[in-house]
Amino acid sequence: VSVRVTRETENSLQREIAATSRLVEQFRSTRTQSFTMMARLIADAPKLKAAVAWYGPFIGQPTAERPKNPIDVVKDLKAPVLGLYGEADGGIPVDTVVQMRQALAAANKKGEIILYPDTPHAFNADYRPSYREQQAQDAWAKMLFWFRKNGVA
């Protein structure tokens, strides 16, 4: 397969990439929420004002895509982090939530991790059987409050 990219197409793509990069930087400079922890983003974004993690693992085997786990970069966090987790999440043991809470405290980082009793992984995914309306609504309200509390309107 042969593809010919014209100068006009290349310039258009470069403009789109630049515009997207500006939007990402603007987003990173204020707040982020993630349905995985995105530890590197949170640790590497000095302008970030607040972050919210939805049921992403804290500890695990490093991979090429994720060479560090959230617990490994706690000391580097530059923004307050709220974690929203389900106690019945089979992929994120409660003892790792406790370890992360302890790591945040030991590093003197502003963070809070809420653990919803009898709540599975992906409790906010309303298209999945794991959806829990009450917990999802409560967590969403807590997320919005967290952002407001930390200067992100």
Side-chain angles (χ1 to χ4, degrees), residues 5 8 32 36-37 41 48 52 59 64 68 77-79 83 87 91 93 99-102 112 118 124 139-140 147 149:
V5 177
E8 182 181 334
T32 188
T36 59
M37 184 64 165
L41 169 67
L48 193 69
V52 177
I59 298 170
K68 293 183 179 181
L77 292 176
K78 299 186 177 47
E87 187 179 70
Q99 289 175 48
M100 189 63 169
R101 284 176 175 158
Q102 291 170 342
E112 180 180 348
D118 302 315
N124 193 47
W140 194 262
F147 285 145
K149 175 178 152 179

Side-chain angles (χ1 to χ4, degrees), residues 56-128:
F58 297 116
I59 298 170
Q61 289 290 37
T63 65
E65 295 82 31
R66 191 187 310 183
K68 293 183 179 181
N69 289 291
I71 202 151
D72 301 326
V73 296
V74 169
K75 66 183 181 336
D76 301 320
L77 292 176
K78 299 186 177 47
V81 178
L82 172 65
L84 302 164
Y85 288 79
E87 187 179 70
D89 187 328
I92 304 170
V94 171
D95 68 313
T96 66
V97 175
V98 171
Q99 289 175 48
M100 189 63 169
R101 284 176 175 158
Q102 291 170 342
L104 285 165
N108 200 28
K109 297 295 178 173
K110 186 175 178 183
E112 180 180 348
I113 302 173
I114 297 169
L115 195 57
Y116 289 94
D118 302 315
T119 303
H121 183 77
F123 65 86
N124 193 47
D126 62 1
Y127 56 92
R128 294 174 71 169

